[in-house]
DNA sequence: AGTAGCAACTTGTATATACAAGAATATACA
DNA sequence: TGTATATTCTTGTATATACAAGTTGCTACT
């Protein structure tokens, strides 16, 4: 009697059903507005109770993959307009495209415990292990971005082993976990001492601060704080709306 | 035998429990990191089954109000950092602050049916009634923003009756449904004919397009598309990241 | 032919129950 | 004292069941 006859270890049954549906949707076999099998149908098909099948459908609905209407059924939802609208580019490519030279300095690269805020952003438990990096990016040797990033170790386990002087975190993460969505918020801040020093601006100078959370198929990949010197990036206090 | 002895009509039991917990958290009686009653405790207290109490706690966790750890308990979460970081300002105030004169033109103000994308963004069913407005804002008679907005009628029922030449939609909505959170995405686009005409720029000119979804305590309030002429607003193609 | 009403199927809410798994505390033992 | 072990409380997963409620389509009656 090797193991309990329970499950194939780890993956809960509702998660297996979710994965199955996700695959059908993403490979295009179930197009937009396609009617997904009903709770009862899925229950029979997977040999689970209706409540378990229901959980899979409900969670996918919360995640925006499906749409449900009482009495009618469950359907494949259209992709969020906001998802495809946001273009996320690599800062190294951007600098190169301007014909400038790109360089960077790694200020910090460690494994640490998630604070409450970071845990929330990454969807992890408080105190969970996360990768933490701080990198300054330069355009023609002039700092143009402070990048502080918290990364989910489960989705990018080799993060700490990367040579970030050769490939940016963004480029690495995009490779190992192709991003499907990003939440971004933008604000103007006054540079604190630490950031002012790293970006070579006066303390108190206006900077453009971008918070970005990138998501992949398999979950939330990373949570980044990007700070640009307003004077040097030609974005600043104007961006209040 | 007036009515069935079921419930107080409408509100499901799990929703009542959610409301109760929300109130405690928002009035400060249960501070951050406060340990919320367990599923079993709530079940006894409200006379429901554990699964119903569990649903309330789980949904509030998904919504970011609570945090749960297996074996430990359920706790009040800290407010999302991104929520308080994003400052949303009124464009009329912004223009005034520059010492310029503000004016606007209402191009459209109607009640219509939500398309699939709008329904998704507002968390409503496809085809649900929504308010739809298009307004052009001007700074010294020069157009600086095209604002197209879809509003949830349940949270702002008097929307159509407002005089938007005197108060901006943003100001009105902030008053009737104080915003607690906003998702924003930014991109650069080429102006189409309609927008180019309204903003008095050449068709194909680069514009800054902002999608914003504002949320209040009671739900998603509105979904707006704000387009600024890049040449006139000094933001444009630079904003690719 | 037209329509009212019924039946079937869907999702939504709710309960009672069982066991698994993580975390803290108390207990017994060396 | 220090270390295993057991207990207990917590959340997590899963099932079986019941009824409510919305939608569609069929059927039978007028």
């Amino acid at each position: 009697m090797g193991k309990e006859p329970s499950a194939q270890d780890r993956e809960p049954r509702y998660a297996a059903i979710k994965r199955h549906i996700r695959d059908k949707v993403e490979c295009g076999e179930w197009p937009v507005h396609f009617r997904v099998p009903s709770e009862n149908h899925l229950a029979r098909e997977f040999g689970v109770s209706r409540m378990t099948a229901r959980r899979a459908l409900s969670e996918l609905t919360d995640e925006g993959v499906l749409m449900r209407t009482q009495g009618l059924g469950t359907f494949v939802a259209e992709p969020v307009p906001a998802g495809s609208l946001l273009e996320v580019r690599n800062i190294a490519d951007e600098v190169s495209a301007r014909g400038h030279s790109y360089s960077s300095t790694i200020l910090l690269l460690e494994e640490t415990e998630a604070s409450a805020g970071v845990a929330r952003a990454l969807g992890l438990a408080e105190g969970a292990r996360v990768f933490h990096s701080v990198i300054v990016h330069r355009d023609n040797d002039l700092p143009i971005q402070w990048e502080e990033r918290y990364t989910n170790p489960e989705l990018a386990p080799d993060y700490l082993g990367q040579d970030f002087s050769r490939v940016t975190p963004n480029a690495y993460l995009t490779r190992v976990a192709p991003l499907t969505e990003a939440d971004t918020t933008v604000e103007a801040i006054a540079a604190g001492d630490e950031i002012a020093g790293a970006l070579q601006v006066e303390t108190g100078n206006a900077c453009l601060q971008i918070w970005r959370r990138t998501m992949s198929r398999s979950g939330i990949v990373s949570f980044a704080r990007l700070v640009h010197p307003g004077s040097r990036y030609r974005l600043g206090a104007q961006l209040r709306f």
Side-chain angles (χ1 to χ4, degrees), chain A:
Chain A
M1 67 313 181
K3 301 216 175 133
E4 290 312 306
S6 57
Q8 48 270 70
D9 268 349
R10 294 294 169 282
E11 189 179 52
R13 311 239 236 174
Y14 75 90
I17 302 177
K18 282 180 69 175
R19 198 165 42 73
H20 173 257
I21 296 174
R22 266 211 147 83
D23 286 346
K24 294 288 185 182
V25 171
E26 275 165 16
C27 80
E29 191 172 331
W30 293 355
V32 170
H33 293 150
F34 177 86
R35 177 163 179 177
V36 169
S38 73
E39 297 176 355
N40 282 314
H41 188 101
L42 285 171
R44 280 194 302 274
E45 183 180 344
F46 284 87
V48 300
S49 76
R50 185 196 144 202
M51 293 308 288
T52 300
R54 173 178 181 74
R55 175 165 183 180
L57 292 174
S58 294
E59 290 194 3
L60 287 173
T61 300
D62 289 341
E63 293 165 24
V65 177
L66 304 178
M67 277 194 46
R68 322 194 71 189
T69 309
Q70 187 175 76
L72 254 179
T74 306
F75 306 85
V76 175
E78 338 195 17
V80 206
S84 58
L85 289 171
L86 182 65
E87 184 174 350
V88 175
R89 274 183 55 185
N90 193 327
I91 187 136
D93 295 341
E94 190 183 345
V95 171
S96 301
R98 279 198 289 269
H100 294 182
S101 75
Y102 167 80
S103 59
S104 67
T105 303
I106 300 163
L107 300 181
L108 196 149
L109 186 56
E110 63 169 3
E111 181 176 341
T112 183
E113 292 183 1
S115 67
V118 170
R120 275 289 313 284
L122 288 178
L124 299 174
E126 187 170 346
R129 310 303 294 177
V130 293
F131 299 146
H132 179 209
S133 59
V134 177
I135 299 177
V136 172
H137 302 275
R138 285 188 301 270
D139 177 330
N140 278 353
D141 294 321
L142 216 54
I144 54 159
Q145 185 187 82
W146 156 288
E147 171 192 334
E148 179 170 19
R149 186 180 293 271
Y150 292 91
T151 303
N152 187 341
E154 293 189 17
L155 302 181
D158 304 326
Y159 189 77
L160 293 184
Q162 298 305 306
D163 179 3
F164 287 127
S165 61
R166 297 178 51 82
V167 58
T168 64
N170 194 336
Y172 165 69
L173 292 173
T174 311
R175 202 177 65 239
V176 300
L179 66 84
T180 56
E181 207 180 338
D183 292 342
T184 305
T185 63
V186 183
E187 62 172 352
I189 59 161
D193 286 340
E194 187 183 22
I195 287 179
L199 292 180
Q200 298 174 23
V201 298
E202 300 290 315
T203 299
N205 267 20
C207 287
L208 185 70
Q209 179 164 274
I210 299 167
W211 297 87
R212 191 193 299 148
R213 205 167 57 138
T214 55
M215 277 154 278
S216 183
R217 273 194 52 187
S218 32
I220 302 173
V221 180
S222 75
F223 178 51
R225 174 192 180 203
L226 312 172
V227 183
H228 297 269
S231 58
R232 205 170 295 144
Y233 209 65
R234 287 206 292 148
L235 309 177
Q238 293 96 333
L239 211 120
R240 314 306 283 270
F241 33 81

